[in-house]
Structures are given as structure tokens and as C-alpha cells.
């Protein structure tokens, strides 16, 4: 009897090993999988640029239209916005809402500065006749850089919505989870921008 | 008053579950290390290209790509808090899967298109032997 009970003991039947890490909340993992799918979109756009980036069709070349000083400022703005979001996360961990909101606001302003400079660059390109319809190079350029800009714009919109949510409900765990998701999104965009400024701008202006 | 009690409640709840829910422990040191490394890894390729680069532009391109690859790893570790243990290893698994797909997409597209260029020369197109 005791042998039979031993064979069917709860220990033998348990499906979760004690002490095994079992995340209670899969939101961050799910959001990570979303970011990875986003990564694939960017990979396709990078591949398109890699294939078409030197097809100028008699139009302006990358070296003629891309301005590195503007891109350097843009890169600085995005990198600074990454570290200010990091400061916001640190304040969130200490449950200090006011300084956190301040860092979030600074992050949003830096992101807005990035978008402003990028839109000015696009407007300048289109005004000199180097719009997306001019050549395969410019089509793939606008598709890749524009998609990244759209992501940053969505991030700023999300940031504003989140600031409203935090100011209404405070630092509840749901808001903390959202802040961590946006944190991943924001840092991921900075990561993609590393690829953009290296592959499109720095390598584009090389002879 | 009601808002106060709600936030108090939320505070107590998060204090209990914060570590289980978020599983990420960001530190000031980590962010600053990442920022300084990222800044250095950005400035060097910009300076290299803006000052003219190496004699062969393909060398400059390779150096720029190498710096970008290192910087992406820096962002992953210090900003996205990637490690092999987060979310029971599923984070890393999804990342590895994505990297495989990205490498296939990028290298495959560029490889095929460059060969297409040389295989589709006009002389070959008109050769009747190549027609179906």
C-alpha cells in the first residue's frame, strides 16, 4: 500500500520543478517577441537598401545628398533620449513619480527634436528633387529611414499616453509594466538607428 | 483621498510583485557604462568617415560595420538588459531565432542580387541556349 502510494506520490506527478523560474507575467516576453518581429521588418528594409542603395538612376548620389553633421546631431539626440529613459526607469524603481515624469518629458522632447530634424532633412531632399520617386536608392532610403521615423513618432505618442496614465493612476504595477515595455521599444529604436546611421549614412557617403 | 488610498494600495502591490513582474534590475552604473561605450562607438566611426577614412573605402566600410555590430551588442546588454537567464531563457531563444532570420534575409538578398547582376547580362539574355 505504501509502495503504491509512493509510486503515485505528488512529487512524481508534479509538472513544475520546485525552484524553477516560472515568470508570472509573460508581457515582457511577449513584447520582446513583438520587437523581434519588428526587427524582421527592418531586416527586409535594410536588405532592400543593401540591394538598391547604389542604384542612383542618374539622379543624386548618397554622397551628394546625405549630410553627416545633421545625422551626427540626430544620433546624439537619440542616444541622449535613451539614457534619459534609463534615468526614468531608475526613478520608477525607487517609486519617485515626479522626477520620473520629468525624465520622461525630457526623453519625449529629445525624440521630438530627432523627428523635427529628420522631417527637415526629408523636406530638403524633396525640395531639391530628390524625393522617393527619383531613384531606387532614394525609394529604399525613404522607406527605411521613414519607417524608423514612424516608429519613433509612435514611441513619442505612446510616451504621452503613458504620462497621462501615470498622472491619473500613479505608479501602479500596470503602469510600471507599460513603462518597461516602452523602455524596451525606445532602446530598440536606438539600436535600429545604429544600423541606419552606419549602413545608410556612413557607408553611403563613402566613395 | 480616494486617489491617495489607491496609490497606496498600488504601492504595496508593486512592492510585493515588482521583482516577479518586471524581472529587470536597472542600475545607474549599467546605464552610464552603456552610454559611455555607445558614445565612444558612435564618435569613432563618424570621425573616421568625416576625416576621409582609410585609403580603400571597403576597409572603412568594414570598420564602420564592425563598430555598429559591437555597439548593437552594447545596447543589448546595458539598455535592453539582455542575458541568457531573463524570462527563463526564452528571450535569448527568440533573439537567436531572429538573428538567424536576419542574417539569412540580409546575406541572402545581397548575395542573390549581386549574382543576378552578373548572370543577367544582355548577351546571356539573347543566347537561345538560355531560353526555356
Amino acid at each position: 500500500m505504501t509502495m503504491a502510494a509512493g509510486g503515485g506520490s505528488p512529487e512524481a506527478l508534479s509538472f513544475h520543478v520546485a525552484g524553477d523560474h516560472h515568470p508570472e507575467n509573460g508581457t515582457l516576453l511577449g513584447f520582446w517577441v513583438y520587437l523581434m518581429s519588428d526587427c524582421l521588418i527592418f531586416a527586409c528594409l535594410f536588405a532592400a537598401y543593401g540591394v538598391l542603395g547604389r542604384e542612383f538612376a542618374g539622379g543624386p548620389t548618397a554622397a551628394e545628398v546625405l549630410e553627416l553633421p545633421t545625422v551626427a546631431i540626430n544620433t546624439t539626440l537619440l542616444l541622449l533620449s535613451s539614457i534619459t529613459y534609463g534615468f526614468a526607469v531608475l526613478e520608477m524603481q525607487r517609486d519617485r513619480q515626479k522626477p520620473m515624469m520629468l525624465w520622461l518629458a525630457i526623453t519625449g522632447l529629445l525624440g521630438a527634436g530627432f523627428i523635427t530634424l529628420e522631417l527637415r532633412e526629408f523636406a530638403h531632399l524633396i525640395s531639391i528633387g530628390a524625393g522617393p520617386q527619383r531613384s531606387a536608392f532614394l525609394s529604399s532610403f525613404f522607406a527605411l529611414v521613414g519607417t524608423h521615423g514612424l516608429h519613433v513618432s509612435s514611441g513619442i505618442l505612446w510616451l504621452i499616453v503613458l504620462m497621462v496614465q501615470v498622472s491619473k493612476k500613479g505608479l501602479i504595477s500596470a503602469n510600471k509594466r507599460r513603462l518597461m515595455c516602452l523602455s524596451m521599444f525606445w532602446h530598440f529604436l536606438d539600436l535600429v538607428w545604429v544600423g541606419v546611421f552606419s549602413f545608410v549614412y556612413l557607408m553611403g557617403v563613402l566613395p | 483621498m480616494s486617489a491617495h488610498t489607491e496609490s497606496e494600495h498600488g504601492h504595496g502591490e508593486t512592492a510585493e510583485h515588482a521583482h516577479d513582474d518586471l524581472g529587470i534590475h536597472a542600475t545607474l552604473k549599467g546605464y552610464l557604462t552603456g552610454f559611455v561605450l555607445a558614445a565612444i562607438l558612435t564618435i569613432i566611426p563618424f570621425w573616421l568617415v568625416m576625416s576621409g577614412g582609410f585609403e580603400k573605402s571597403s576597409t572603412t566600410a568594414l570598420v564602420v560595420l564592425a563598430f555598429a555590430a559591437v555597439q548593437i551588442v552594447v545596447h543589448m546588454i546595458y539598455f535592453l538588459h539582455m542575458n541568457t537567464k531573463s524570462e527563463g531563457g526564452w528571450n535569448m531563444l527568440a533573439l537567436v531565432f531572429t538573428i538567424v532570420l536576419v542574417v539569412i534575409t540580409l546575406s541572402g538578398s545581397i548575395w542573390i542580387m549581386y549574382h543576378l547582376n552578373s548572370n543577367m547580362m544582355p548577351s546571356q539574355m539573347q543566347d537561345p541556349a538560355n531560353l526555356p
Side-chain angles (χ1 to χ4, degrees):
Chain A
M1 186 63 195
T2 43
M3 287 298 283
S9 72
E11 199 178 356
L13 280 173
S14 75
F15 292 96
H16 296 290
V17 180
D20 191 16
H21 179 68
H22 179 66
E24 288 177 25
N25 187 332
T27 308
L28 289 185
L29 176 61
F31 196 75
W32 179 254
V33 173
Y34 154 70
L35 283 184
M36 291 297 98
S37 75
D38 223 17
C39 198
L40 294 181
I41 293 178
F42 279 112
C44 294
L45 291 168
F46 271 111
Y49 183 83
V51 168
L52 302 172
R54 297 270 166 182
E55 312 297 328
F56 303 119
T61 65
E64 284 166 10
V65 293
L66 301 183
E67 290 167 356
L68 282 190
T70 319
V71 182
I73 297 172
N74 254 353
T75 307
T76 312
L77 286 178
L78 210 56
L79 190 57
L80 280 175
S81 79
S82 244
I83 187 85
T84 53
Y85 202 107
F87 291 153
V89 168
L90 291 174
E91 297 296 347
M92 180 204 82
Q93 285 182 339
R94 292 190 209 117
D95 280 312
R96 285 164 48 171
Q97 187 174 328
K98 266 195 181 160
M100 189 203 81
M101 294 288 267
L102 186 66
W103 284 120
L104 283 184
I106 294 171
T107 307
L109 287 176
L110 288 167
F114 174 86
I115 289 296
T116 312
L117 276 179
E118 189 163 286
L119 286 177
R120 277 178 59 140
E121 186 194 17
F122 283 3
H124 170 71
L125 285 179
I126 292 168
S127 73
I128 60 168
Q133 70 275 41
R134 180 61 190 85
S135 64
F137 150 63
L138 284 163
S139 303
S140 56
F141 169 83
F142 272 90
L144 173 56
V145 182
T147 306
H148 178 267
L150 261 178
H151 274 73
V152 176
S153 309
S154 321
I156 295 170
L157 185 66
W158 185 1
L159 191 78
I160 294 167
V161 171
L162 204 50
M163 287 178 74
V164 172
Q165 284 177 319
V166 171
S167 62
K168 295 252 187 224
K169 298 270 181 183
L171 272 174
I172 58 172
S173 67
N175 278 343
K176 284 190 169 184
R177 196 181 64 229
R178 292 166 187 148
L179 276 157
M180 289 318 290
C181 282
L182 182 56
S183 161
M184 283 162 75
F185 186 77
W186 200 267
H187 293 311
F188 174 74
L189 287 181
D190 201 6
L191 190 152
V192 172
W193 181 252
V194 172
V196 172
F197 81 68
S198 302
F199 198 55
V200 175
Y201 287 92
L202 291 181
M203 285 172 69
V205 300
L206 292 175
Chain B
M1 185 61 200
S2 67
H4 179 70
T5 48
E6 188 183 296
S7 81
E8 279 298 304
H9 171 70
H11 180 83
E13 193 182 57
T14 50
E16 257 174 58
H17 289 288
H19 297 299
D20 299 318
D21 283 345
L22 303 174
I24 289 167
H25 307 282
T27 56
L28 180 64
K29 198 181 156 215
Y31 279 123
L32 287 179
T33 315
F35 179 74
V36 170
L37 283 177
I40 293 169
L41 290 168
T42 304
I43 290 167
I44 293 175
F46 263 96
W47 165 81
L48 182 67
V49 171
M50 285 165 113
S51 66
F54 295 111
E55 277 180 34
K56 280 178 71 181
S57 58
S58 58
T59 317
T60 318
L62 277 179
V63 172
V64 167
L65 274 186
F67 271 98
V70 175
Q71 185 168 181
I72 284 173
V73 174
V74 166
H75 279 245
M76 287 262 173
I77 293 172
Y78 292 104
F79 291 157
L80 286 165
H81 311 291
M82 277 299 292
N83 59 56
T84 49
K85 293 201 181 74
S86 54
E87 304 284 352
W90 290 104
N91 260 349
M92 191 51 84
L93 197 71
L95 176 67
V96 169
F97 177 58
T98 310
I99 290 172
V100 169
L101 289 184
V102 166
V103 167
I104 292 172
T105 311
L106 284 178
S107 61
S109 303
I110 290 166
W111 184 40
I112 288 172
M113 291 312 285
Y114 273 67
H115 283 73
L116 211 59
N117 239 1
S118 50
N119 287 341
M120 299 258 289
M121 295 303 281
S123 60
Q124 272 183 319
M125 296 282 282
Q126 284 152 9
D127 188 353
N130 286 343
L131 291 175

